[in-house]
Amino acid sequence: MFNSLAKDFHFEGRKNLSYSWNMNASDPINALLNYGYAILESMVRKDINTIGLDVSIGYLHEIDHSKHPLVYDLQELFRCVVDYSVIELLETKLNKSDFITTENYHVRLKPDTAKLLIEKIKNNFNQRYEFKNKQHTLENIMFENIRELSKYISGNSKHLEFSIPDIAIKRNDNSQVRDKIMSIDPEKRKELEINKSTLWYQQKKIKEGKTIKIYNKTRERIE
């Protein structure tokens, strides 16, 4: 998926050139993922501290006095939100100039690129889903699941079952369709009989990295 959106970034997985886990990114996509996972980690850590659990005691990750395994355990539940946010950002056609390569050949995000990713992640965590028969933001659902763990640990609940909604990707566009829309000039627009303001608005949203809604008639014309 990542390579299909950004072939020039040469993504080969979550290991760097030295075959260690990619804490120091050697390519732009790993740099985006690292930054996004760091944001998610801070969100989970804040919720854990608010609820009052001990971050040093986990279940899946190694327990070490210098690490916080409970944070790493719980962020796994929502890691897909970061992945999707990175995919959305890659669709805006990032290039290598949006990143910095350090003297140690580690890849980092430029400030403007980081801001864009933060916005994507924030927007996706603000999406609402049904949770316990009510509509909640995904960020609040994450907090409530961590609170359920706290109730189980303290003995106030006999059962523990995380309730994670199916993360819906509400879109009907793709990178190929977006490229075609961006390539439509005034003459082509008239030929396809697409409304001028509609095309302008869609091209504007694509430039901003936002998803667009394409009606079937429009899709048939451009495809």
Side-chain angles (χ1 to χ4, degrees):
M1 170 60 78
F2 293 125
N3 278 329
S4 66
L5 294 171
K7 294 179 181 179
D8 292 341
F9 289 169
H10 306 295
F11 177 69
E12 296 183 358
R14 287 294 289 160
K15 289 190 176 183
N16 60 25
L17 296 177
S18 63
Y19 298 97
S20 61
W21 289 110
N22 212 327
M23 298 300 292
N24 292 308
S26 56
D27 63 80
I29 291 177
N30 270 305
L32 289 166
L33 292 171
N34 286 354
Y35 198 93
Y37 294 150
I39 294 171
L40 175 60
E41 180 182 330
S42 69
M43 294 171 66
V44 173
R45 189 188 310 278
K46 181 191 72 174
D47 286 350
I48 291 174
N49 289 335
T50 299
I51 292 169
L53 293 175
D54 188 342
V55 296
S56 66
I57 302 175
Y59 299 88
L60 301 176
H61 290 79
E62 177 186 5
I63 295 178
D64 186 290
H65 72 279
S66 64
K67 298 180 180 179
H68 298 154
L70 185 59
V71 177
Y72 313 145
D73 287 353
L74 293 173
Q75 77 177 58
E76 294 294 336
L77 299 172
F78 294 90
R79 195 179 285 267
C80 63
V81 181
V82 173
D83 296 344
Y84 178 55
S85 301
V86 169
I87 289 171
E88 285 187 311
L89 190 54
L90 288 173
E91 288 182 327
T92 66
K93 302 302 181 185
L94 294 179
N95 54 58
K96 291 182 179 180
S97 64
D98 295 307
F99 301 85
I100 300 169
T101 301
T102 69
E103 59 183 13
N104 294 324
Y105 300 102
H106 298 152
V107 181
R108 300 286 186 267
L109 278 61
K110 283 188 175 179
D112 287 345
T113 311
K115 288 178 182 178
L116 290 173
L117 181 56
I118 291 170
E119 182 181 358
K120 294 290 184 188
I121 293 173
K122 181 180 179 181
N123 288 341
N124 285 323
F125 269 104
N126 280 334
Q127 295 297 314
R128 290 185 171 272
Y129 296 87
E130 185 172 332
F131 179 75
K132 295 185 177 180
N133 299 319
K134 292 184 179 180
Q135 292 292 314
H136 294 265
T137 65
L138 198 55
E139 184 173 6
N140 188 54
I141 292 172
M142 181 168 67
F143 180 85
E144 291 299 326
N145 274 281
I146 296 173
R147 185 153 64 178
E148 287 300 315
L149 175 62
S150 175
K151 291 179 181 178
Y152 179 74
I153 292 173
S154 64
N156 292 325
S157 176
K158 294 182 179 180
H159 304 284
L160 173 63
E161 183 177 352
F162 292 119
S163 180
I164 312 298
D166 292 331
I167 309 300
I169 300 177
K170 299 177 181 178
R171 58 186 300 173
N172 68 345
D173 64 336
N174 57 50
S175 58
Q176 291 181 333
V177 171
R178 293 161 74 90
D179 287 343
K180 287 182 179 179
I181 290 174
M182 291 303 297
S183 69
I184 297 175
D185 56 24
E187 185 176 341
K188 187 67 174 178
R189 178 191 65 77
K190 292 178 182 178
E191 179 185 333
L192 296 174
E193 298 181 345
I194 297 175
N195 182 274
K196 182 178 180 180
S197 60
T198 298
L199 178 62
W200 176 87
Y201 182 68
Q202 288 186 333
Q203 289 180 336
K204 179 177 180 292
K205 292 192 73 175
I206 291 172
K207 289 177 181 178
E208 294 172 349
K210 298 177 180 177
T211 58
I212 58 175
K213 183 176 181 179
I214 305 173
Y215 294 103
N216 290 334
K217 287 185 178 180
T218 303
R219 179 182 286 274
E220 290 172 0
R221 290 171 183 171
I222 65 177
E223 290 184 338

